[in-house]
């Protein structure tokens, strides 16, 4: 259903573009010409960076989210407080300002406390995406873990399990079914937001499209292709999310 | 009675949920090997009281001493937890594990037993609750009565000195109540110290050394089952007994 709609839209755009009138210039990305082939290769080679930055950011975000979520569920309000503040704070910051702050500001802060590292565009994007997304993954963990009945934790306690053992052997194995599908879904958000990394000069899909537009003056064709590049990526991921949801759902009703 | 002989000693226990005074100046001592049955109307604080004994609830004032260990810090709480087993109304079995894994989790992870030794012990207690043949099923495949017997076996695998039961048969269909009570009576006869919250008065007559009646967060009356059932001292207790014995 979704696929056919996409194909229909794509076909419509291509047909209007190719049929005469001359406003469209698909030659820029026509792989049958040497120049077009080079251009398309240049654009598509941004996939690697987009995927890599997204995957690393997602892994960091999942880790960071868990570290934030666990104290957020404590009985102790002083443990809970920093976690709540983190989530509210990070959720409130738009991605682009945070990206600028991390890329231009963070190295200065680090330097002032004696850590001399430069942050390149790639790591600037990874750090920003990971932090920004971690507020959401933390909430996913929290709701997943809290959906497991209190009695499970109490029973674990009465048989002498520590907090860590209770999480590992009792709570997380049950909560994982409610956590994984929304986490995978969150990955789509990261992929889309990674486009912002173009403004700090990271060579991913969007940056490459921008650079080619500057030399070829063909924004319509190039950005159309860019949109389809993201569309393919996101559709593949959401296909995986559906599969995961079905698999977890089937497990649940066992 | 001297303290060393007592399994549980509770003095001046008070517990508030915000403004609500859930336990009021509770004093209760349970001797080793004694079987105490607690009854009383719903909301009278029975669960809260026994949950304080294994620190599932924190109390506000008063002392709790279990087998000579006073509950005060994490260390003493862990020591107490290792001596006290608990069976819940809702069973609280781990649904993602098999029956055998439910039973061996505590011994292996909390006590560091080998898998083989833990499984041997698990099978021993599954025999004792009369369901050794269900070891490799998951909780959802068992009847309520069987699940509760597994929950009892899971507690026994930790070899506690004291067992707490919080309305162990209230969530069961009537035809399954006796299979669970039989297991508990069996345990009582083996000399296990226990506190059981229940409204099963037939069971109380058979198994209890002492009855405790609670209402509105207070212990109103205690006595042997004979005294308690034939001549309740207080009006509140009489009313309560009339109500439940009518059914
Ligand atoms: N977590 C809680 N927060 C607030 N009130 C509670 C909580 N748990 C129990 N209570 C209240 O404390 C009283 C005693 O509860 P409980 O010990 O469960 O009674 P019982 O087991 O005798 O039915 C009830 O009025 C109940 O509403
Ligand atoms: Mg209760």
């Amino acid at each position: 259903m979704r696929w056919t709609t996409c194909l229909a839209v794509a076909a419509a755009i291509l047909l209007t573009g190719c049929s005469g009138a001359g406003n469209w210039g698909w030659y820029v990305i026509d792989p049958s010409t040497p120049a077009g082939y080079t251009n398309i290769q240049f654009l598509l080679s941004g996939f690697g960076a987009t995927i890599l930055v997204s995957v690393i950011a997602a892994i960091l975000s999942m880790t960071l989210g868990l570290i934030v979520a666990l104290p957020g569920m404590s009985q102790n309000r002083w443990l809970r407080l920093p976690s709540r503040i983190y989530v509210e704070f990070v959720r409130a910051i738009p991605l682009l300002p945070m990206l600028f702050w991390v890329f231009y500001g963070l190295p200065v802060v680090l330097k002032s406390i004696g850590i001399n590292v430069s942050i390149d565009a790639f790591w600037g994007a990874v750090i920003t995406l990971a932090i920004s997304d971690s507020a959401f993954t933390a909430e996913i963990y929290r709701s997943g873990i809290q959906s497991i009945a209190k009695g499970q934790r109490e029973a674990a306690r009465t048989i002498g399990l520590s907090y860590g053992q209770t999480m590992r052997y009792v709570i997380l194995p049950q909560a994982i079914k409610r956590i994984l599908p929304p986490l995978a879904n969150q990955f789509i958000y990261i992929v889309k937001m990674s486009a912002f990394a173009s403004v700090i000069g990271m060579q991913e899909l969007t940056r490459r499209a921008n650079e080619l537009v500057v030399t070829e003056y063909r924004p319509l064709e190039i950005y159309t292709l860019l949109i389809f590049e993201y569309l393919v990526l996101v559709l593949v991921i959401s296909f995986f999310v559906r599969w995961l949801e079905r698999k977890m759902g089937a497990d649940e009703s066992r | 009675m001297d303290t060393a002989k007592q399994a549980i000693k509770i003095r001046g226990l008070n517990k508030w949920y915000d403004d609500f005074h859930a336990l009021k100046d509770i004093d209760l001592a349970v001797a080793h090997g004694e079987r105490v049955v607690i009854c009383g109307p719903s909301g009278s604080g029975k669960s809260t009281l026994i949950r304080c004994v294994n620190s599932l609830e924190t109390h506000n004032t008063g002392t709790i001493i279990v087998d000579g260990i006073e509950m005060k810090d994490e260390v003493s709480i862990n020591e107490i937890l290792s001596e006290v087993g608990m069976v819940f109304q809702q069973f609280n079995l781990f649904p993602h594990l098999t029956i055998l894994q439910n039973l061996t989790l505590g011994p292996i992870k909390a006590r560091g037993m080998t898998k083989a030794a833990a499984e041997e012990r698990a099978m021993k207690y599954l025999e004792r609750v009369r369901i050794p043949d269900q070891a490799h099923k998951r909780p959802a495949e068992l009847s309520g009565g069987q699940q509760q017997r597994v929950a009892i076996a899971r507690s026994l695998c930790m070899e506690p000195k004291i067992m707490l039961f919080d309305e162990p048969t209230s969530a069961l269909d009537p035809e399954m109540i006796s299979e669970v009570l039989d297991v508990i009576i069996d345990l009582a006869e083996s000399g296990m110290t226990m506190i059981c919250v229940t409204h099963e008065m037939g069971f109380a007559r058979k198994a209890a050394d002492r009855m405790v009646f609670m209402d509105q967060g207070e212990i109103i009356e205690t006595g042997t089952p004979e005294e308690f059932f034939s001549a309740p001292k207080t009006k509140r207790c009489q009313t309560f007994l009339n109500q439940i014995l009518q059914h």
Side-chain angles (χ1 to χ4, degrees):
Chain A
M1 167 60 198
R2 200 130 133 223
W3 286 102
T4 46
T5 318
C6 295
L7 286 176
V9 172
I13 292 172
L14 285 169
L15 283 177
T16 50
C18 297
S19 62
N23 289 337
W24 294 71
W26 287 108
Y27 66 87
V28 277
I29 48 168
D30 181 354
S32 61
T33 67
Y37 183 79
T38 316
N39 285 345
I40 212 163
Q41 210 178 21
F42 177 71
L43 292 173
L44 292 184
S45 62
F47 264 119
T50 291
I51 293 172
L52 191 64
V53 85
S54 302
V55 167
I56 297 178
I59 292 170
L60 288 180
S61 161
M62 281 161 61
T63 315
L64 197 56
L66 189 60
I67 293 170
V68 171
L70 289 178
M73 290 174 289
S74 161
Q75 305 282 339
N76 182 334
R77 61 191 297 252
W78 296 111
L79 280 174
R80 236 171 25 227
L81 195 65
S83 160
R84 289 308 311 163
I85 292 176
Y86 178 90
V87 170
E88 293 301 329
F89 191 80
V90 169
R91 260 202 310 211
I93 308 173
L95 193 80
L96 200 50
M98 198 196 296
L99 185 65
F100 288 145
W101 192 89
V102 167
F103 187 60
Y104 297 109
L106 190 58
V108 182
V109 174
L110 290 177
K111 194 170 181 182
S112 74
I113 57 169
I115 305 172
N116 226 335
V117 289
S118 62
I119 295 178
D120 62 12
F122 179 83
W123 285 104
V126 164
I127 293 169
T128 308
L129 287 169
I131 291 176
S132 160
D133 190 57
S134 66
F136 297 93
T137 48
E139 291 295 279
I140 291 170
Y141 284 119
R142 191 170 65 90
S143 70
I145 289 172
Q146 284 179 342
S147 73
I148 304 305
K150 188 172 150 217
Q152 293 287 305
R153 223 171 322 128
E154 293 182 345
R157 183 173 163 88
T158 61
I159 57 165
L161 300 188
S162 67
Y163 173 79
Q165 291 172 328
T166 302
M167 276 295 157
R168 176 151 173 225
Y169 300 113
V170 177
I171 306 295
L172 287 177
Q174 296 183 63
I176 201 85
K177 292 166 190 169
R178 319 225 170 129
I179 289 173
L180 272 189
L183 270 191
N185 215 20
Q186 199 59 25
F187 185 54
I188 292 175
Y189 166 88
I190 294 192
V191 168
K192 292 200 292 182
M193 291 302 143
S194 72
F196 279 111
S198 61
V199 302
I200 55 170
M202 191 189 143
Q203 290 287 328
E204 40 66 74
L205 289 173
T206 305
R207 176 74 182 194
R208 288 184 176 234
N210 278 338
E211 289 184 356
L212 199 64
V213 166
V214 170
T215 54
E216 296 280 358
Y217 310 109
R218 277 287 164 194
L220 181 58
E221 294 75 12
I222 293 169
Y223 288 139
T224 303
L225 178 68
L226 178 63
I227 284 173
F228 278 100
E229 285 174 316
Y230 281 110
L231 200 60
V232 167
L233 208 50
V234 168
L235 286 177
V236 168
I237 303 166
S238 62
F239 184 79
F240 170 71
V241 173
R242 292 288 158 71
W243 173 81
L244 203 62
E245 273 168 353
R246 265 200 311 275
K247 187 169 153 37
M248 293 289 161
D251 268 11
E252 190 105 319
S253 57
R254 184 181 55 186
Chain B
M1 207 183 289
D2 112 66
T3 322
K5 289 229 182 67
Q6 283 170 353
I8 301 172
K9 188 160 180 67
I10 297 170
R11 291 195 66 134
L13 189 72
N14 281 282
K15 159 95 188 154
W16 280 268
Y17 290 110
D18 298 318
D19 291 341
F20 180 71
H21 201 171
L23 293 177
K24 301 171 185 161
D25 288 319
I26 301 288
D27 291 314
L28 180 68
V30 179
H32 282 295
E34 193 180 14
R35 280 95 61 169
V36 173
V37 165
I38 302 180
C39 61
S42 168
S44 56
K46 308 177 298 292
S47 298
T48 308
L49 175 59
I50 66 168
R51 287 163 58 85
C52 280
V53 172
N54 63 356
S55 78
L56 289 179
E57 300 286 349
T58 55
H59 55 279
N60 297 97
T61 66
T63 55
I64 299 176
I65 300 172
V66 178
D67 201 31
I69 308 157
E70 182 172 348
M71 186 183 292
K72 40 182 203 283
D73 49 15
E74 245 346 90
V75 179
S76 61
I77 286 174
N78 285 336
E79 271 181 71
I80 289 174
L81 277 173
S82 72
E83 308 217 338
V84 181
M86 173 122 179
V87 173
F88 302 86
Q89 185 175 343
Q90 300 298 340
F91 328 140
N92 296 346
L93 294 178
F94 307 130
H96 59 298
L97 301 178
T98 65
I99 300 309
L100 193 61
Q101 289 167 334
N102 264 273
L103 267 62
T104 55
L105 185 63
I108 293 173
K109 302 301 174 191
R111 296 282 163 82
M113 281 175 77
T114 64
K115 186 159 176 264
E119 284 182 353
E120 195 186 319
R121 183 187 280 189
M123 290 313 294
K124 180 176 99 181
Y125 288 110
L126 279 182
E127 303 263 356
R128 183 134 176 214
V129 301
R130 298 159 205 163
I131 34 176
D133 46 333
Q134 311 287 347
H136 297 286
K137 291 191 179 165
R138 285 185 196 256
E141 298 171 70
L142 270 54
S143 73
Q146 291 175 323
Q147 290 190 47
Q148 191 60 301
R149 285 186 280 152
V150 171
I152 294 171
R154 181 176 66 181
S155 282
L156 293 177
C157 279
M158 303 308 290
E159 313 215 305
K161 292 187 182 160
I162 300 162
M163 285 287 287
L164 308 173
F165 296 87
D166 190 358
E167 305 206 31
T169 58
S170 298
L172 296 178
D173 293 334
E175 73 272 17
M176 296 172 182
I177 291 178
S178 67
E179 67 189 59
V180 171
L181 291 180
D182 286 347
V183 165
I184 300 176
I185 290 172
D186 212 36
L187 203 59
E189 283 167 357
S190 76
M192 174 73 77
T193 308
M194 56 172 76
I195 300 182
C196 183
V197 175
T198 183
H199 291 164
E200 295 294 330
M201 290 304 146
F203 161 80
R205 265 181 222 273
K206 227 185 279 179
D209 296 314
R210 188 149 52 104
M211 299 295 299
V212 170
F213 173 70
M214 290 184 70
D215 193 14
Q216 295 181 4
E218 288 175 285
I219 293 182
I220 305 294
E221 187 168 335
T222 73
T224 64
E226 299 86 71
E227 298 167 348
F228 185 80
F229 289 111
S230 57
K233 288 171 268 187
T234 58
K235 186 94 186 73
R236 273 198 266 183
C237 189
Q238 273 166 16
T239 319
F240 173 76
L241 283 177
N242 284 336
Q243 270 167 8
I244 59 164
L245 293 177
Q246 263 165 19
H247 298 300

